[in-house]
Short mmCIF file of all heavy atoms in Angstrom, two decimals:
data_model
loop_
_atom_site.label_atom_id
_atom_site.label_comp_id
_atom_site.label_asym_id
_atom_site.label_seq_id
_atom_site.Cartn_x
_atom_site.Cartn_y
_atom_site.Cartn_z
N PRO A 1201 94.03 15.37 172.73
CA PRO A 1201 95.47 15.16 172.97
C PRO A 1201 95.90 13.71 172.89
O PRO A 1201 96.97 13.40 172.37
CB PRO A 1201 95.68 15.74 174.37
CG PRO A 1201 94.60 16.74 174.54
CD PRO A 1201 93.42 16.16 173.82
N LEU A 1202 95.06 12.81 173.40
CA LEU A 1202 95.40 11.39 173.33
C LEU A 1202 95.33 10.88 171.89
O LEU A 1202 96.19 10.09 171.47
CB LEU A 1202 94.45 10.58 174.22
CG LEU A 1202 94.38 10.97 175.69
CD1 LEU A 1202 93.46 10.01 176.44
CD2 LEU A 1202 95.76 10.98 176.33
N VAL A 1203 94.33 11.32 171.15
CA VAL A 1203 94.18 10.88 169.76
C VAL A 1203 95.34 11.40 168.92
O VAL A 1203 95.92 10.67 168.10
CB VAL A 1203 92.83 11.34 169.19
CG1 VAL A 1203 92.73 11.01 167.71
CG2 VAL A 1203 91.68 10.69 169.95
N SER A 1204 95.67 12.68 169.09
CA SER A 1204 96.76 13.25 168.29
C SER A 1204 98.09 12.57 168.61
O SER A 1204 98.89 12.30 167.71
CB SER A 1204 96.86 14.76 168.54
OG SER A 1204 97.22 15.03 169.89
N ALA A 1205 98.34 12.29 169.88
CA ALA A 1205 99.58 11.60 170.24
C ALA A 1205 99.64 10.20 169.64
O ALA A 1205 100.69 9.75 169.16
CB ALA A 1205 99.71 11.53 171.77
N THR A 1206 98.50 9.50 169.65
CA THR A 1206 98.45 8.17 169.05
C THR A 1206 98.72 8.23 167.55
O THR A 1206 99.49 7.43 167.01
CB THR A 1206 97.08 7.54 169.30
OG1 THR A 1206 96.83 7.46 170.71
CG2 THR A 1206 97.01 6.14 168.71
N LEU A 1207 98.11 9.19 166.87
CA LEU A 1207 98.32 9.32 165.42
C LEU A 1207 99.76 9.74 165.11
O LEU A 1207 100.34 9.27 164.12
CB LEU A 1207 97.34 10.34 164.85
CG LEU A 1207 95.85 9.97 164.94
CD1 LEU A 1207 94.98 11.07 164.37
CD2 LEU A 1207 95.57 8.65 164.22
N ILE A 1208 100.34 10.62 165.91
CA ILE A 1208 101.70 11.09 165.65
C ILE A 1208 102.71 9.95 165.83
O ILE A 1208 103.56 9.71 164.95
CB ILE A 1208 102.05 12.27 166.57
CG1 ILE A 1208 101.29 13.52 166.12
CG2 ILE A 1208 103.55 12.55 166.57
CD1 ILE A 1208 101.41 14.69 167.08
N THR A 1209 102.64 9.25 166.94
CA THR A 1209 103.59 8.15 167.17
C THR A 1209 103.40 7.03 166.15
O THR A 1209 104.38 6.45 165.67
CB THR A 1209 103.44 7.60 168.59
OG1 THR A 1209 102.07 7.22 168.82
CG2 THR A 1209 103.85 8.63 169.62
N THR A 1210 102.15 6.75 165.79
CA THR A 1210 101.90 5.72 164.79
C THR A 1210 102.41 6.17 163.42
O THR A 1210 102.97 5.37 162.66
CB THR A 1210 100.41 5.39 164.71
OG1 THR A 1210 99.93 5.03 166.01
CG2 THR A 1210 100.15 4.25 163.76
N GLY A 1211 102.22 7.45 163.10
CA GLY A 1211 102.73 7.96 161.83
C GLY A 1211 104.24 7.87 161.74
O GLY A 1211 104.79 7.48 160.70
N ILE A 1212 104.93 8.23 162.82
CA ILE A 1212 106.39 8.10 162.84
C ILE A 1212 106.79 6.63 162.66
O ILE A 1212 107.74 6.31 161.91
CB ILE A 1212 106.96 8.66 164.15
CG1 ILE A 1212 106.69 10.16 164.26
CG2 ILE A 1212 108.46 8.40 164.25
CD1 ILE A 1212 107.04 10.75 165.62
N ALA A 1213 106.08 5.75 163.33
CA ALA A 1213 106.40 4.33 163.23
C ALA A 1213 106.22 3.82 161.81
O ALA A 1213 107.05 3.04 161.31
CB ALA A 1213 105.51 3.54 164.20
N ILE A 1214 105.17 4.24 161.13
CA ILE A 1214 104.93 3.78 159.77
C ILE A 1214 105.98 4.33 158.81
O ILE A 1214 106.43 3.63 157.88
CB ILE A 1214 103.51 4.17 159.32
CG1 ILE A 1214 102.48 3.39 160.15
CG2 ILE A 1214 103.30 3.91 157.85
CD1 ILE A 1214 102.63 1.89 160.07
N VAL A 1215 106.39 5.58 159.02
CA VAL A 1215 107.45 6.15 158.18
C VAL A 1215 108.73 5.34 158.31
O VAL A 1215 109.50 5.19 157.35
CB VAL A 1215 107.69 7.63 158.57
CG1 VAL A 1215 108.95 8.18 157.92
CG2 VAL A 1215 106.49 8.48 158.17
N VAL A 1216 108.98 4.77 159.47
CA VAL A 1216 110.17 3.94 159.68
C VAL A 1216 109.95 2.53 159.16
O VAL A 1216 110.80 1.97 158.45
CB VAL A 1216 110.54 3.90 161.18
CG1 VAL A 1216 111.66 2.90 161.44
CG2 VAL A 1216 110.95 5.29 161.66
N ALA A 1217 108.80 1.94 159.47
CA ALA A 1217 108.61 0.51 159.23
C ALA A 1217 108.33 0.18 157.77
O ALA A 1217 108.82 -0.85 157.28
CB ALA A 1217 107.46 0.00 160.10
N VAL A 1218 107.56 1.00 157.08
CA VAL A 1218 107.16 0.64 155.71
C VAL A 1218 108.36 0.61 154.76
O VAL A 1218 108.56 -0.39 154.05
CB VAL A 1218 106.05 1.58 155.21
CG1 VAL A 1218 105.80 1.36 153.72
CG2 VAL A 1218 104.77 1.33 155.99
N PRO A 1219 109.19 1.65 154.67
CA PRO A 1219 110.34 1.54 153.75
C PRO A 1219 111.30 0.41 154.11
O PRO A 1219 111.73 -0.35 153.24
CB PRO A 1219 111.02 2.92 153.87
CG PRO A 1219 109.98 3.82 154.42
CD PRO A 1219 109.13 2.98 155.31
N LEU A 1220 111.65 0.31 155.40
CA LEU A 1220 112.59 -0.74 155.80
C LEU A 1220 111.97 -2.13 155.64
O LEU A 1220 112.64 -3.07 155.20
CB LEU A 1220 113.03 -0.51 157.24
CG LEU A 1220 113.84 0.76 157.51
CD1 LEU A 1220 114.19 0.87 158.99
CD2 LEU A 1220 115.10 0.78 156.68
N GLY A 1221 110.70 -2.25 156.00
CA GLY A 1221 110.06 -3.55 155.87
C GLY A 1221 109.90 -3.99 154.43
O GLY A 1221 110.15 -5.15 154.09
N LEU A 1222 109.50 -3.07 153.55
CA LEU A 1222 109.37 -3.42 152.13
C LEU A 1222 110.73 -3.72 151.51
O LEU A 1222 110.85 -4.61 150.67
CB LEU A 1222 108.68 -2.28 151.38
CG LEU A 1222 107.18 -2.14 151.59
CD1 LEU A 1222 106.62 -1.00 150.77
CD2 LEU A 1222 106.45 -3.44 151.25
N ALA A 1223 111.76 -2.96 151.89
CA ALA A 1223 113.10 -3.24 151.37
C ALA A 1223 113.55 -4.63 151.78
O ALA A 1223 114.12 -5.39 150.97
CB ALA A 1223 114.08 -2.18 151.86
N ALA A 1224 113.31 -4.98 153.05
CA ALA A 1224 113.68 -6.32 153.51
C ALA A 1224 112.87 -7.40 152.78
O ALA A 1224 113.41 -8.45 152.41
CB ALA A 1224 113.45 -6.43 155.02
N ALA A 1225 111.58 -7.12 152.54
CA ALA A 1225 110.74 -8.09 151.84
C ALA A 1225 111.20 -8.29 150.40
O ALA A 1225 111.24 -9.41 149.88
CB ALA A 1225 109.29 -7.64 151.88
N ILE A 1226 111.55 -7.19 149.72
CA ILE A 1226 112.02 -7.29 148.33
C ILE A 1226 113.32 -8.09 148.27
O ILE A 1226 113.53 -8.94 147.40
CB ILE A 1226 112.20 -5.90 147.73
CG1 ILE A 1226 110.84 -5.23 147.54
CG2 ILE A 1226 112.93 -5.96 146.39
CD1 ILE A 1226 110.92 -3.78 147.10
N TYR A 1227 114.21 -7.82 149.22
CA TYR A 1227 115.47 -8.57 149.22
C TYR A 1227 115.23 -10.06 149.46
O TYR A 1227 115.79 -10.91 148.74
CB TYR A 1227 116.41 -8.02 150.30
CG TYR A 1227 117.64 -8.87 150.48
CD1 TYR A 1227 118.67 -8.83 149.55
CD2 TYR A 1227 117.76 -9.73 151.57
CE1 TYR A 1227 119.80 -9.62 149.70
CE2 TYR A 1227 118.88 -10.52 151.73
CZ TYR A 1227 119.90 -10.47 150.80
OH TYR A 1227 120.99 -11.27 150.94
N LEU A 1228 114.43 -10.39 150.46
CA LEU A 1228 114.21 -11.80 150.78
C LEU A 1228 113.48 -12.52 149.66
O LEU A 1228 113.75 -13.70 149.39
CB LEU A 1228 113.41 -11.91 152.08
CG LEU A 1228 114.12 -11.48 153.36
CD1 LEU A 1228 113.16 -11.50 154.54
CD2 LEU A 1228 115.32 -12.38 153.64
N SER A 1229 112.55 -11.82 148.99
CA SER A 1229 111.74 -12.47 147.97
C SER A 1229 112.44 -12.54 146.62
O SER A 1229 112.32 -13.54 145.91
CB SER A 1229 110.41 -11.73 147.82
OG SER A 1229 109.65 -12.25 146.74
N GLU A 1230 113.18 -11.50 146.25
CA GLU A 1230 113.68 -11.38 144.88
C GLU A 1230 115.19 -11.54 144.76
O GLU A 1230 115.68 -11.82 143.66
CB GLU A 1230 113.27 -10.02 144.29
CG GLU A 1230 111.78 -9.76 144.37
CD GLU A 1230 110.96 -10.81 143.65
OE1 GLU A 1230 111.35 -11.22 142.54
OE2 GLU A 1230 109.94 -11.25 144.23
N TYR A 1231 115.94 -11.31 145.81
CA TYR A 1231 117.39 -11.31 145.69
C TYR A 1231 118.08 -12.40 146.50
O TYR A 1231 119.08 -12.96 146.07
CB TYR A 1231 117.95 -9.95 146.14
CG TYR A 1231 117.67 -8.82 145.18
CD1 TYR A 1231 116.50 -8.07 145.30
CD2 TYR A 1231 118.54 -8.50 144.16
CE1 TYR A 1231 116.22 -7.04 144.42
CE2 TYR A 1231 118.28 -7.48 143.27
CZ TYR A 1231 117.12 -6.75 143.40
OH TYR A 1231 116.85 -5.72 142.52
N ALA A 1232 117.56 -12.68 147.68
CA ALA A 1232 118.25 -13.61 148.57
C ALA A 1232 118.16 -15.04 148.05
O ALA A 1232 117.14 -15.47 147.50
CB ALA A 1232 117.65 -13.54 149.98
N LYS A 1233 119.24 -15.79 148.24
CA LYS A 1233 119.24 -17.20 147.90
C LYS A 1233 118.44 -17.97 148.96
O LYS A 1233 118.26 -17.50 150.07
CB LYS A 1233 120.68 -17.73 147.84
CG LYS A 1233 121.51 -17.09 146.74
CD LYS A 1233 122.93 -17.64 146.73
CE LYS A 1233 123.74 -17.00 145.61
NZ LYS A 1233 125.14 -17.50 145.58
N PRO A 1234 117.93 -19.15 148.61
CA PRO A 1234 117.10 -19.90 149.57
C PRO A 1234 117.79 -20.13 150.92
O PRO A 1234 117.15 -20.02 151.97
CB PRO A 1234 116.84 -21.22 148.85
CG PRO A 1234 116.93 -20.87 147.40
CD PRO A 1234 117.98 -19.81 147.29
N ARG A 1235 119.09 -20.41 150.90
CA ARG A 1235 119.79 -20.63 152.16
C ARG A 1235 119.86 -19.35 152.98
O ARG A 1235 119.66 -19.37 154.20
CB ARG A 1235 121.20 -21.15 151.89
CG ARG A 1235 122.01 -21.43 153.14
CD ARG A 1235 123.36 -21.99 152.80
NE ARG A 1235 123.24 -23.26 152.08
CZ ARG A 1235 124.30 -23.95 151.64
NH1 ARG A 1235 125.53 -23.50 151.83
NH2 ARG A 1235 124.11 -25.10 151.00
N VAL A 1236 120.11 -18.22 152.31
CA VAL A 1236 120.16 -16.94 153.02
C VAL A 1236 118.78 -16.58 153.56
O VAL A 1236 118.65 -16.08 154.67
CB VAL A 1236 120.69 -15.84 152.08
CG1 VAL A 1236 120.66 -14.48 152.77
CG2 VAL A 1236 122.10 -16.17 151.62
N ARG A 1237 117.72 -16.84 152.77
CA ARG A 1237 116.37 -16.53 153.22
C ARG A 1237 115.99 -17.34 154.45
O ARG A 1237 115.33 -16.83 155.36
CB ARG A 1237 115.37 -16.81 152.09
CG ARG A 1237 113.94 -16.38 152.40
CD ARG A 1237 112.98 -16.73 151.29
NE ARG A 1237 113.35 -16.10 150.04
CZ ARG A 1237 113.77 -16.76 148.96
NH1 ARG A 1237 113.87 -18.08 149.01
NH2 ARG A 1237 114.08 -16.12 147.87
N LYS A 1238 116.40 -18.59 154.50
CA LYS A 1238 116.08 -19.43 155.65
C LYS A 1238 116.75 -18.93 156.92
O LYS A 1238 116.27 -19.20 158.02
CB LYS A 1238 116.51 -20.88 155.38
CG LYS A 1238 115.65 -21.58 154.34
CD LYS A 1238 116.13 -23.01 154.14
CE LYS A 1238 115.26 -23.73 153.09
NZ LYS A 1238 115.73 -25.13 152.86
N ILE A 1239 117.85 -18.21 156.77
CA ILE A 1239 118.55 -17.67 157.95
C ILE A 1239 118.03 -16.29 158.31
O ILE A 1239 117.72 -16.01 159.48
CB ILE A 1239 120.07 -17.62 157.69
CG1 ILE A 1239 120.61 -19.04 157.47
CG2 ILE A 1239 120.79 -16.93 158.84
CD1 ILE A 1239 122.07 -19.07 157.07
N PHE A 1240 117.90 -15.42 157.30
CA PHE A 1240 117.57 -14.03 157.57
C PHE A 1240 116.13 -13.83 158.02
O PHE A 1240 115.88 -13.01 158.91
CB PHE A 1240 117.83 -13.18 156.32
CG PHE A 1240 119.26 -12.74 156.18
CD1 PHE A 1240 120.28 -13.42 156.83
CD2 PHE A 1240 119.60 -11.66 155.39
CE1 PHE A 1240 121.60 -13.04 156.71
CE2 PHE A 1240 120.93 -11.27 155.25
CZ PHE A 1240 121.93 -11.97 155.92
N LYS A 1241 115.20 -14.56 157.44
CA LYS A 1241 113.80 -14.33 157.80
C LYS A 1241 113.51 -14.68 159.25
O LYS A 1241 112.87 -13.89 159.96
CB LYS A 1241 112.87 -15.10 156.86
CG LYS A 1241 111.41 -14.73 157.05
CD LYS A 1241 110.52 -15.36 156.01
CE LYS A 1241 109.06 -14.93 156.22
NZ LYS A 1241 108.16 -15.53 155.20
N PRO A 1242 113.95 -15.83 159.77
CA PRO A 1242 113.73 -16.07 161.21
C PRO A 1242 114.43 -15.06 162.11
O PRO A 1242 113.90 -14.68 163.15
CB PRO A 1242 114.30 -17.48 161.41
CG PRO A 1242 114.24 -18.12 160.07
CD PRO A 1242 114.51 -17.01 159.11
N VAL A 1243 115.63 -14.62 161.70
CA VAL A 1243 116.34 -13.62 162.50
C VAL A 1243 115.55 -12.32 162.53
O VAL A 1243 115.43 -11.67 163.58
CB VAL A 1243 117.75 -13.39 161.94
CG1 VAL A 1243 118.41 -12.20 162.62
CG2 VAL A 1243 118.60 -14.64 162.13
N LEU A 1244 114.98 -11.93 161.38
CA LEU A 1244 114.16 -10.72 161.32
C LEU A 1244 112.92 -10.86 162.19
O LEU A 1244 112.53 -9.91 162.89
CB LEU A 1244 113.77 -10.43 159.88
CG LEU A 1244 112.90 -9.19 159.63
CD1 LEU A 1244 113.66 -7.92 159.99
CD2 LEU A 1244 112.46 -9.12 158.18
N GLU A 1245 112.30 -12.03 162.18
CA GLU A 1245 111.08 -12.24 162.95
C GLU A 1245 111.33 -12.34 164.44
O GLU A 1245 110.39 -12.29 165.23
CB GLU A 1245 110.36 -13.49 162.44
CG GLU A 1245 109.80 -13.32 161.03
CD GLU A 1245 109.19 -14.60 160.49
OE1 GLU A 1245 109.44 -15.67 161.10
OE2 GLU A 1245 108.49 -14.54 159.48
N VAL A 1246 112.60 -12.51 164.84
CA VAL A 1246 112.91 -12.53 166.27
C VAL A 1246 112.57 -11.20 166.92
O VAL A 1246 112.20 -11.13 168.10
CB VAL A 1246 114.41 -12.88 166.48
CG1 VAL A 1246 114.87 -12.56 167.89
CG2 VAL A 1246 114.64 -14.35 166.19
N LEU A 1247 112.66 -10.11 166.14
CA LEU A 1247 112.30 -8.79 166.68
C LEU A 1247 110.87 -8.77 167.21
O LEU A 1247 110.57 -8.07 168.18
CB LEU A 1247 112.46 -7.72 165.60
CG LEU A 1247 113.89 -7.31 165.24
CD1 LEU A 1247 113.86 -6.37 164.05
CD2 LEU A 1247 114.56 -6.65 166.42
N ALA A 1248 109.98 -9.53 166.56
CA ALA A 1248 108.58 -9.54 167.00
C ALA A 1248 108.41 -10.24 168.34
O ALA A 1248 107.39 -10.05 169.00
CB ALA A 1248 107.71 -10.22 165.95
N GLY A 1249 109.40 -11.04 168.74
CA GLY A 1249 109.29 -11.76 170.01
C GLY A 1249 109.93 -11.06 171.18
O GLY A 1249 109.83 -11.55 172.31
#
Side-chain angles (χ1 to χ4, degrees):
L1202 304 183
V1203 175
S1204 65
T1206 302
L1207 296 179
I1208 288 172
T1209 55
T1210 305
I1212 296 172
I1214 293 303
V1215 169
V1216 173
V1218 171
L1220 295 179
L1222 285 181
I1226 291 173
Y1227 172 75
L1228 292 174
S1229 174
E1230 306 302 317
Y1231 289 90
K1233 296 180 179 180
R1235 180 178 299 178
V1236 176
R1237 186 183 300 113
K1238 290 181 180 179
I1239 297 174
F1240 276 21
K1241 189 173 181 180
V1243 171
L1244 180 65
E1245 292 175 346
V1246 165
L1247 286 173

